[in-house]
Amino acid sequence: MSTPQPICILLGAGGHAKVIVDCVRSTRIAEIVGILDSNPQRWGHDILGVPVLGNDELLPKLKQRGVSHFVVAIAATGNNGLRETLFLGALNAGFGPLNVFHSTAICSPSAHIGEGAQLLPGCILNAGATVGRNVIINTGAIVEHDCVVDEHSHIGPGARLAGHVEIGCRSFIGMGACVRQGVKVGCDSVIGAGAVVVKDVPDGVVVTGVPARFLRKTRSESGTNAEK
Ligand SMILES: CC(C)(COP(=O)(O)OP(=O)(O)OC[C@H]1O[C@@H](n2cnc3c(N)ncnc32)[C@H](O)[C@@H]1OP(=O)(O)O)[C@@H](O)C(=O)NCCC(=O)NCCS
């Protein structure tokens, strides 16, 4: 007898949600019944046939109707604090985080993966790497051996972390960026697309370029529709 699929809701109805719907369907790990978003203009629309039902106020009702799991489905490239808020809010409301692993993601058996982490198409998580809760390893990204990616961070499409790199919580590594082995990136920082990071990056800054240099401090945003 097969185990019933968990019933799941997505939080955030932007472009990243489309990728998540695709991944969840292709792996048949859960049934997605709807999407919540703070932007009323998105309500009543659908993403690949999944309806955008309303905002987070619907969570208690959905729980009563048997929804058990959630996925934070925004990419929030500039502010992963928002992804953290959504994650903790859904946990507090009694939902469980669903792990989303695409079938083409390569994950070492010795890697450690936190609850609600997303391993998207073609990414590689190598031996001894650790990713925390609610981390996104996006399409084609490489996280080499013994890296640590802390909670709520996002490794963008095609970004590469060499061995023993550490990424603090809520940081974002832009698409195609490279981080040299052993380098530490702090919390709430953003590495610009295509940057090459050759020395440690402190908390709360944006760096860009080759080699990566300070651009500005990070800003905070709010709302589940913060995705660009
Ligand atoms: C780094 C980043 C966050 C900066 O955004 P921003 O603060 O809005 O910066 P702006 O676009 O106003 O640019 C400010 C300056 O930085 C430069 N700049 C911006 N991004 C840069 C990058 N990735 N590399 C090099 N220079 C960059 C701009 O050319 C501009 O220079 P100027 O002042 O000489 O004209 C953004 O450009 C970026 O790279 N985001 C990551 C995108 C990504 O990976 N998306 C994947 C989504 S899954």
Side-chain angles (χ1 to χ4, degrees):
M1 202 170 71
S2 61
T3 330
Q5 283 183 327
I7 301 176
C8 172
I9 192 90
L10 305 191
L11 306 178
H16 193 66
K18 191 178 277 185
V19 175
I20 297 297
V21 170
D22 213 45
C23 281
V24 170
R25 280 189 181 149
S26 70
T27 52
R28 300 197 182 95
I29 49 169
E31 180 192 350
I32 307 173
V33 292
I35 305 175
L36 303 183
D37 197 287
S38 61
N39 181 354
Q41 290 179 343
R42 289 177 169 171
W43 303 349
H45 293 271
D46 74 275
I47 292 185
L48 298 179
V50 181
V52 184
L53 302 171
N55 64 15
D56 297 4
E57 288 170 17
L58 291 175
L59 282 171
K61 201 178 281 179
L62 289 164
K63 182 124 188 61
Q64 282 172 3
R65 289 185 189 159
V67 177
S68 56
H69 285 74
F70 71 96
V71 179
V72 177
I74 59 166
T77 55
N79 174 20
N80 280 300
L82 176 57
R83 295 184 57 253
E84 177 182 43
T85 302
L86 293 174
F87 185 86
L88 297 178
L91 272 190
N92 288 338
F95 296 84
L98 187 77
N99 285 94
V100 179
F101 300 158
H102 194 264
S103 55
T104 60
I106 297 174
C107 180
S108 162
S110 63
H112 307 275
I113 302 163
E115 291 183 315
Q118 302 169 20
L119 303 186
L120 298 184
C123 76
I124 299 176
L125 195 57
N126 219 333
T130 300
V131 301
R133 295 187 305 172
N134 196 29
V135 161
I136 301 172
I137 310 295
N138 216 324
T139 313
I142 295 175
V143 176
E144 262 306 335
H145 65 89
D146 303 304
C147 286
V148 178
V149 181
D150 212 341
E151 297 190 334
H152 315 296
S153 286
H154 174 181
I155 311 301
R160 283 157 286 172
L161 310 183
H164 292 279
V165 162
E166 293 180 26
I167 308 295
C169 46
R170 297 177 300 274
S171 285
F172 171 62
I173 312 300
M175 59 185 168
C178 294
V179 185
R180 185 159 87 176
Q181 66 275 11
V183 163
K184 294 180 175 53
V185 172
C187 294
D188 303 297
S189 283
V190 172
I191 310 298
V196 177
V197 182
V198 296
K199 60 182 186 187
D200 291 356
V201 174
D203 295 345
V205 297
V206 180
V207 300
T208 55
V210 182
R213 297 192 197 285
F214 177 84
L215 177 69
R216 59 172 172 80
K217 291 189 173 176
T218 43
R219 309 177 184 115
S220 60
E221 300 162 50
S222 61
T224 37
N225 59 338
E227 184 173 14
K228 304 235 169 78

